[in-house]
Amino acid sequence: MTDTALEAAALGKRFGRLRRSAGWALRDCSFALPAGRVCAVVGPNGAGKSTLLALAAGLTAPTEGSLTVLGGPAGQARARVGFVAQDKPLYPQLTVAETLRMGGDLNPGRWDARAAERIAAGGDLDPKARIRALSGGQRTRVALALALGKRPELLLLDEPMADLDPLARHELMGVLMSQAAQHGTTIVMSSHVVAELEDSCDHLLLIGGGRVRLAGDIDALLETHARVSAAADTDLAPHTVVESRTTGRQLSALIRPAAPLPADWRTGTPSLEELVLSYLRNPEAKAAGAPAKSPEESVA
Amino acid sequence: MSTFTAQLATVLRLHRAALIVWTVFVAGCVGYLVWLTQVTAPSLLGPREGCPDGGTDPCVIGLDYLEYSSPMGWVSTFMYYGFWAVAAWSAAALIGRELESGTARLAWTQGVTPARWLAAKLTAPALVLIAGGAVFVPVYRWAWSAHRALMGDDWTFADVFAARGPLVVAYGLCALAVGTLTALVVRRTLPAAALSVAVMIVLNRYVEKYREDYWPPATGTPHGAPVMQADPGSYHPQSHYWPLHLVETGIILTVTALATTAAFLLLARRTVPARTPRQESPA
């Protein structure tokens, strides 16, 4: 197993080359995700999260740059990568049991039928029920069973929990986390609901406007940012300002300190949601990598 | 190899309904041919009053022969133009719906590469088409030549010409490949089906129109058996049937091969990085 599960170098994907409306869904993305992490891919709708996951799953080819998945080019490690697309596509004409059997047929040598059946059984799913008769949440469960049954080393989940009720969400998140803990599976899951991911993820990839805005270990990212309040006329230099707002005589800001902060500032550690929102509200703020991963960033 | 067999089984399971419809169609045609030849025709040919020689020789009275020749014609017509259905089905159900609904992506993220997926998708129905043809064509050849006196057609009729050999299967395979290619190009179910059928109709009309040009004709005045008219003063005797038939089969199979190759190239271009990135070995 390689140390890096996912590594992008100047990765870009453009859709509709022939059309006038051709646009970049993802551009100039560089980041590295160490193996064994549970990574949240966060960003507004249309930010490029699904494109990134589809590229990692080997479903589309990048227009430029490269994406290394489990040590090889994307698409060459299909057997070791699990993927659940946002709309949870399944064959409507098959039954639950036939769908899982297909998983076995298409993943020779890796398929763990018992694990897949256990996940499906957790939802009281009738194995003879046709997929077309299932609710959205039940389909999500079958799709996850199919993805986990192949015992992936890297699991890519696009908005996995969107149609689940809170109970099922809690249970399936637990299944995912125990999978990650037991087998060292790297999990990458996207969401636009940050709170949904805060408890389970230890790595963050924030995407906005097709670019990586923030990437790294969540604890490290929180530690290297500070929420500060000071007098309105305070000069925030030399710190990197992500977002600042002045109300009356009070200045509140989210900054990346470049030096020890003055004692007369009130400081605090931001929450993950505050951090994410600050970056998303301020597209001009400089992209930040995790300090340990990209030393050139911390000099900035 | 057993992996690929499992993939073929998956394709057949996914398209069980189409497989059943096709099997019933081929079995129905074959059964009907046998019934027409063994039951209907002898009942028309039995000695009757009003026939010459006092009804001792088999003969046909009036338009009774239509009870035999007309259904015989329908069977060959339906089988010949069955490729219309194959073109629509392969564009819509086999490939188009999978691309539109995202289930193709589901398959590609199992342990199957897109190329292997497409190979299984094409191989399973191709084998079914070939098997159907292998049963139908010999039975049709036998039935068609059993009671020539009752038939109003001859070997030059478009459907008869195709149904008496591998050409009828070649059109089916071609429709399969063209349907697949249009679905990959258009990526939407209904437009792909319409386009695929239209392309196959045009191809078939065009190839059929020049059918008599696929082998050098004989010159002079035809005598005996029905002939296919070529240019004025030249014709194809019945002995030219196989060369004409096999050349046309070759043309259709060439189109099939081109469409299949294009489908694989297009899929590869979409899903495989153009230049395989030379990975910097991780430290």
Side-chain angles (χ1 to χ4, degrees), chain A residues 8-287:
Chain A
L11 182 67
K13 175 70 183 174
R14 182 176 49 186
F15 285 109
R17 193 173 322 183
L18 300 174
R19 269 165 278 161
R20 201 166 284 247
S21 62
W24 292 90
L26 214 55
R27 188 129 205 219
D28 203 19
C29 284
S30 299
F31 65 88
L33 174 67
R37 308 300 292 265
V38 179
C39 175
V41 180
V42 178
N45 293 324
K49 304 188 294 287
S50 295
T51 304
L52 177 65
L53 290 175
L55 284 166
L59 295 173
T60 51
T63 311
E64 61 178 31
S66 71
L67 183 61
T68 307
V69 177
L70 298 174
Q76 291 200 353
R78 262 167 230 283
R80 296 185 287 147
V81 177
F83 176 70
V84 176
Q86 191 168 2
D87 48 357
K88 322 291 180 310
L90 292 167
Y91 293 103
Q93 70 268 39
L94 297 186
T95 65
V96 173
E98 284 171 336
T99 302
L100 297 184
R101 186 171 157 203
M102 178 190 76
D105 284 347
L106 298 183
N107 292 288
R110 294 192 70 88
W111 187 249
D112 184 347
R114 280 183 43 214
E117 279 158 20
R118 201 165 47 236
I119 294 166
D124 283 332
L125 279 178
D126 177 6
K128 292 203 238 359
R130 298 231 175 251
I131 298 293
R132 68 162 62 90
L134 301 185
S135 72
Q138 289 172 319
R139 286 168 55 116
T140 300
R141 188 179 283 278
V142 176
L144 280 173
L146 205 52
L148 283 169
K150 69 189 285 193
R151 286 179 294 178
E153 288 170 31
L154 170 65
L155 186 55
L156 306 164
L157 307 171
D158 198 356
E159 303 274 356
M161 303 296 167
D163 345 283
L164 293 175
D165 62 67
L167 208 60
R169 182 178 304 199
H170 190 259
E171 184 222 322
L172 284 174
M173 211 53 143
V175 170
L176 290 178
M177 291 311 119
S178 72
Q179 172 84 13
Q182 272 178 34
H183 305 285
T185 311
T186 310
I187 299 180
V188 179
M189 57 177 122
S190 75
S191 178
H192 50 255
V193 186
V194 180
E196 189 175 291
L197 304 164
E198 196 158 11
D199 300 332
S200 29
C201 298
D202 54 16
H203 203 93
L204 179 75
L205 191 60
L206 175 62
I207 299 187
R211 284 160 202 269
V212 174
R213 304 293 314 285
L214 203 56
D217 180 88
I218 289 178
D219 290 338
L221 286 172
L222 294 179
E223 274 167 29
T224 51
H225 289 78
R227 196 157 34 86
V228 298
S229 348
D233 54 354
T234 310
D235 180 12
L236 290 171
H239 312 296
T240 308
V241 181
V242 178
E243 180 180 47
S244 72
R245 210 176 332 164
T246 315
T247 38
R249 285 176 297 160
Q250 175 91 1
L251 170 81
S252 6
L254 193 116
I255 62 170
R256 201 139 37 95
L261 298 173
D264 58 332
W265 291 9
R266 276 188 293 130
T267 64
T269 309
S271 72
L272 180 61
E273 188 147 26
E274 281 172 327
L275 186 68
V276 165
L277 288 176
S278 295
Y279 270 91
L280 290 181
R281 276 196 294 256
N282 297 276
E284 301 305 313
K286 202 170 178 310

Side-chain angles (χ1 to χ4, degrees), chain A residues 54 57-61 63 66 71-73 78 81 83 89-91 93-94 98 101-102 105-108 130 146 150, chain B residues 3 6-7 10 13-14 16 98 101-103 105-114 270-273 275-277 279:
Chain A
L59 295 173
T60 51
T63 311
S66 71
R78 262 167 230 283
V81 177
F83 176 70
L90 292 167
Y91 293 103
Q93 70 268 39
L94 297 186
E98 284 171 336
R101 186 171 157 203
M102 178 190 76
D105 284 347
L106 298 183
N107 292 288
R130 298 231 175 251
L146 205 52
K150 69 189 285 193
Chain B
T3 313
Q7 289 168 21
T10 303
R13 216 173 299 136
L14 284 176
R16 200 164 26 200
E98 292 245 352
S101 68
T103 45
R105 296 181 144 212
L106 175 73
W108 302 346
T109 49
Q110 307 304 310
V112 182
T113 63
R270 292 230 183 98
T271 57
V272 181
R275 330 157 221 83
T276 308
Q279 43 172 135

Side-chain angles (χ1 to χ4, degrees), chain B residues 3 15 54 92 142 180 188 190 210 214 238 257:
Chain B
T3 313
H15 300 287
W142 161 78
T180 299
R188 302 218 321 279
L190 285 177
Y210 295 104
Y214 301 148
Q238 192 158 2

Side-chain angles (χ1 to χ4, degrees), chain B residues 131-147:
Chain B
V135 173
F136 174 81
V137 171
V139 174
Y140 182 73
R141 289 184 62 81
W142 161 78
W144 185 80
S145 46
H147 301 289

